[in-house]
Amino acid sequence: MEVQSDYLVIGSGIAGLSFALESARSGTVAIVTKRDPQETSTNYAQGGIASVLDPEDQPELHIKDTLESGDGLCKEDVVKMVVREGPARVQELIGLGVNFTRQSGPEKKLDLGMEGGHSRRRIVHAKDHTGQEVEKVLLERAREQPNITIYDNHMAIDLITKSKLIKRGIVISETRETCWGAYVLDVKTNQVKTFLARVTVLATGGAGKVYLYTSNPDIASGDGVAIGYRAGVKVANMEFVQFHPTCLYHPMAKSFLISEAVRGEGGILLDSKGNRFMEKYHPLKELAFRDIVARSIDLELKKSGDECVYLDISHKPAAFIKERFPHIYHTCLKYQIDITKEPIPVVPAAHYMCGGLLTDKNGLTNIDNLYAIGEVACTGLHGANRLASNSLLEALVFAKRAAKSASEDLAANRNIPLSKAPLWDSGSATDSEESVVVTHNWDEIRRFMWNYVGIVRTNKRLARARSRVQIIQEEIKEYYWNFIVTSDLLELRNLAQVAELIITCASLRKESRGLHYNLDYPHQDNEHWKRDTVIWI
Ligand code: FAD
Ligand code: SIN
């Protein structure tokens, strides 16, 4: 089966939906999304969107905070652009119907939150479930658009590019590498469909599932980075994996974040003896940059042998806690933790990929007609460590810019017929009864990534991780070519690819900076390493 549209958007989080809504003005949009459309990291975002909306705040301060957090690797022009364009994008969200929390006074001003590394209150939020509110509204607006069709339970496998078509014997006139859409698995029917488009956008989110402990939902298996890399897109800075300092530590709680906003409102970190420890590590204490807080907790846990530390907000009035953090309050209560009365057991967990597919200021990759926006991209905004709540902001700004640029591409190539793509070739495929192997490999990757490529790395641990991932990749190759593809197998292949990219970038960087900390090179080396780690096939 073949589907044709002007734009193909892969992913239905804040980046994909924002792009689609903008692009529906100039053409038809097909959105493919591998589970239910709202099942995205966006949907789980808690803290909010960082933006200069208070007259007392200034863009220069947000720029300074972002640059400091990025530890020397942010692209300053990108930071300035995002910070300056951000407030208008937040106003557009409000225009679409997003209901951000407001103060109770007559002016009903936006209530602005505080998070680590910010020198001002500037996080616009919907209580502590900002992402759910944003995702709901964007999806509602997208569903109202006649030009947008959403294909749920459709998982992109690989891109259709000029090089791939030539390999399959198709004659192509383009001289530059160009993208014409993607092969997509209809997960419910197990049929592979050809989605042809003049512009393709990877908006597939992050890759937290590459680690054993993560704040991310199951969709975050790094598909977009792996798909892009296989097609020849440049990948950058994969060593900078952000670990969120405070995820709920409870045997029954899967991936539940305790927002940094809790620390922004006065939450303090305690060890098991009740001692506050962050003052030993940074003058900003609990509101230091995220890499510093996560590393400090890791060190405390290693020193004490404890399994978790504690985040305490119980000194604040109970009514305030319940009103400001209803989602966190009710979720913790389900696990018999009353956060108005007792500290919350927390541990760091993999949270965000600062690296990804390298793009320009419009989200364009090095392949014509192929854009990457949102967490899948590496735009230069975050450098070596993302400032809290700058991710949703980046997605909004780049979706808008990419849509503008893509509409110009579309106007230029609208009359060129779409390249004929051959049907997906499943080779000598037979059903795999070996799904246990997929589960086993998936588990193994996540474990060795956690143990060897986590918050603190060494050359030896990285080398161990590399040899493990190589063996697994060989096994996957065999499965991939011999058996019918399933979403589990595709995710495993992508996960292994992303793990390999993280290990490669981490092994190349011979210094410690931001989120990358290697005990064998504990210092920053600005002479040799004040630059991105860029790799491609
Ligand atoms: P996502 O929202 O993750 O969407 C990705 C989409 O791609 C999904 O629809 C997925 O199904 C789809 N997809 C993936 N692979 C495929 C494939 N192969 N085929 C088809 N579809 C595919 N950032 C902030 O700025 N502020 C916050 O307060 C904040 N809180 C967070 C809290 C949590 C718990 C988490 C996990 C993250 C948080 N972040 C926050 C980070 C932020 O939410 C994400 O970086 C951002 O939402 C990513 O948006 P996205 O559109 O790029 O990807
Ligand atoms: C949080 O609420 O702590 C998440 C904020 C972010 O990841 O930017």
Side-chain angles (χ1 to χ4, degrees):
M1 182 185 160
E2 190 176 282
V3 177
Q4 292 202 4
S5 58
D6 292 319
Y7 302 100
L8 169 63
V9 179
I10 304 173
S12 57
I14 189 170
L17 291 175
S18 303
F19 177 93
L21 283 169
E22 197 67 28
S23 299
R25 300 166 201 257
S26 58
T28 53
V29 185
I31 301 179
V32 298
T33 182
K34 69 179 175 177
R35 306 261 158 88
D36 286 341
Q38 78 282 356
E39 196 46 24
T40 59
S41 285
T42 302
N43 200 39
Y44 295 90
Q46 294 184 358
I49 308 175
S51 192
V52 177
L53 294 155
D54 181 346
E56 302 286 297
D57 195 2
Q58 292 165 26
E60 285 61 36
L61 294 175
H62 190 184
I63 292 166
K64 184 168 173 283
D65 296 343
T66 304
L67 292 172
E68 267 174 35
S69 180
D71 211 6
L73 281 201
C74 298
K75 291 190 180 129
E76 199 166 334
D77 53 341
V78 172
V79 175
K80 287 181 175 163
M81 178 189 93
V82 172
V83 166
R84 288 185 180 142
E85 292 179 14
R89 300 294 82 80
V90 172
Q91 292 301 341
E92 280 168 9
L93 276 186
I94 295 171
L96 287 173
V98 174
N99 194 5
F100 290 118
T101 302
R102 292 184 179 267
Q103 294 172 358
S104 53
E107 290 175 65
K108 296 255 174 266
K109 281 195 201 155
L110 284 169
D111 183 59
L112 299 174
M114 181 65 164
E115 288 179 8
H118 287 277
S119 55
R120 291 288 186 279
R121 282 191 169 264
R122 63 166 73 99
I123 320 294
V124 61
H125 63 99
K127 298 200 171 172
D128 61 348
H129 45 77
T130 311
Q132 200 183 11
E133 171 68 12
V134 170
E135 181 71 24
K136 180 191 79 167
V137 170
L138 290 177
L139 259 179
E140 279 170 8
R141 296 295 86 83
R143 284 181 170 132
E144 289 161 8
Q145 273 293 332
N147 256 358
I148 299 179
T149 311
I150 302 179
Y151 297 83
D152 60 35
N153 290 289
H154 277 63
M155 180 173 183
I157 305 174
D158 270 317
L159 296 172
I160 299 168
T161 56
K162 185 198 87 170
S163 306
K164 281 196 195 146
L165 293 180
I166 289 174
K167 268 193 208 149
R168 300 279 300 271
I170 314 273
V171 180
I172 303 282
S173 56
E174 279 78 17
T175 47
R176 291 161 55 86
E177 185 61 303
T178 309
C179 180
W180 293 111
Y183 290 112
V184 176
L185 175 70
D186 178 338
V187 177
K188 289 203 164 144
T189 63
N190 236 16
Q191 188 194 5
V192 178
K193 301 175 180 172
T194 309
F195 277 73
L196 289 178
R198 291 193 163 76
V199 170
T200 301
V201 182
L202 287 165
T204 49
K209 295 302 284 190
V210 88
Y211 285 92
L212 190 56
Y213 303 109
T214 176
S215 66
N216 290 190
D218 288 347
I219 53 101
S221 50
D223 297 3
V225 170
I227 288 171
Y229 178 71
R230 286 195 292 271
V233 180
K234 291 183 180 173
V235 172
N237 291 357
M238 293 295 287
E239 66 274 40
F240 299 118
V241 179
Q242 186 167 68
F243 290 81
H244 196 292
T246 57
C247 288
L248 179 61
Y249 177 75
H250 189 281
M252 305 305 287
K254 188 185 166 205
S255 333
F256 187 69
L257 186 80
I258 309 293
S259 175
E260 192 147 327
V262 173
R263 279 174 281 138
E265 296 300 342
I268 53 171
L269 286 164
L270 304 171
D271 65 19
S272 59
K273 297 195 177 74
N275 299 316
R276 192 173 178 184
F277 57 83
M278 270 312 296
E279 47 213 11
K280 284 190 288 185
Y281 297 99
H282 198 276
L284 288 173
K285 302 174 200 151
E286 283 81 4
L287 289 179
F289 293 118
R290 216 171 255 184
D291 55 335
I292 294 166
V293 181
R295 238 181 346 261
S296 308
I297 295 177
D298 187 65
L299 193 64
E300 287 290 317
L301 293 179
K302 282 189 177 131
K303 275 196 310 197
S304 64
D306 291 336
E307 305 219 304
C308 63
V309 294
Y310 296 86
L311 177 59
D312 193 7
I313 181 98
S314 64
H315 49 280
K316 289 273 172 179
F320 166 77
I321 297 173
K322 289 181 195 172
E323 173 64 21
R324 177 66 179 84
F325 301 112
H327 181 48
I328 297 174
Y329 171 72
H330 287 293
T331 307
C332 288
L333 212 52
K334 276 202 290 193
Y335 300 107
Q336 280 79 49
I337 303 162
D338 181 347
I339 70 170
T340 65
K341 298 201 172 97
E342 60 194 314
I344 313 163
V346 290
V347 283
H351 182 63
Y352 184 84
M353 290 295 315
C354 292
L357 302 175
L358 196 62
T359 73
D360 70 7
K361 279 178 164 174
N362 293 323
L364 186 64
T365 68
N366 54 302
I367 295 186
D368 282 0
N369 301 346
L370 179 66
Y371 290 78
I373 51 174
E375 192 169 336
V376 71
C378 180
T379 63
L381 176 68
H382 308 309
N385 177 41
R386 173 178 69 98
L387 183 65
S389 287
N390 263 359
S391 168
L392 297 174
L393 176 73
E394 179 192 47
L396 286 173
V397 168
F398 274 86
K400 179 90 171 186
R401 296 184 68 87
K404 183 168 184 300
S405 167
S407 71
E408 288 159 12
D409 295 350
L410 183 67
N413 67 19
R414 187 161 237 152
N415 297 324
I416 304 170
L418 283 169
S419 283
K420 283 244 164 307
L423 291 177
W424 173 258
D425 179 9
S426 52
S428 58
T430 53
D431 271 316
S432 168
E433 287 167 8
E434 301 286 337
S435 59
V436 63
V437 178
V438 173
T439 318
H440 176 83
N441 281 340
W442 175 284
D443 207 53
E444 192 180 340
I445 293 172
R446 298 183 67 201
R447 258 171 221 287
F448 70 67
M449 288 301 287
W450 183 260
N451 290 328
Y452 300 150
V453 201
I455 297 174
V456 177
R457 300 153 183 185
T458 65
N459 287 348
K460 211 166 165 182
R461 289 180 204 163
L462 290 174
R464 271 195 199 136
R466 169 172 298 288
S467 60
R468 300 272 161 93
V469 83
Q470 278 167 349
I471 296 169
I472 290 179
Q473 280 189 305
E474 279 308 311
E475 266 182 45
I476 295 170
K477 246 190 232 160
E478 185 188 319
Y479 273 88
Y480 190 73
W481 293 117
N482 289 329
F483 297 101
I484 283 175
V485 289
T486 61
S487 53
D488 285 349
L489 181 54
L490 292 172
E491 281 185 350
L492 173 67
R493 181 174 74 139
N494 293 333
L495 207 73
Q497 181 61 74
V498 170
E500 198 230 335
L501 290 169
I502 296 172
I503 296 164
T504 302
C505 288
S507 308
L508 284 170
R509 184 169 290 279
K510 307 226 178 313
E511 64 157 0
S512 288
R513 179 188 297 273
L515 296 157
H516 174 68
Y517 188 68
N518 184 336
L519 287 174
D520 291 309
Y521 313 103
H523 303 294
Q524 204 167 82
D525 177 357
N526 281 328
E527 197 186 329
H528 301 102
W529 283 104
K530 203 172 172 195
R531 58 183 165 92
D532 291 341
T533 320
V534 184
I535 46 180
W536 69 97
I537 295 184

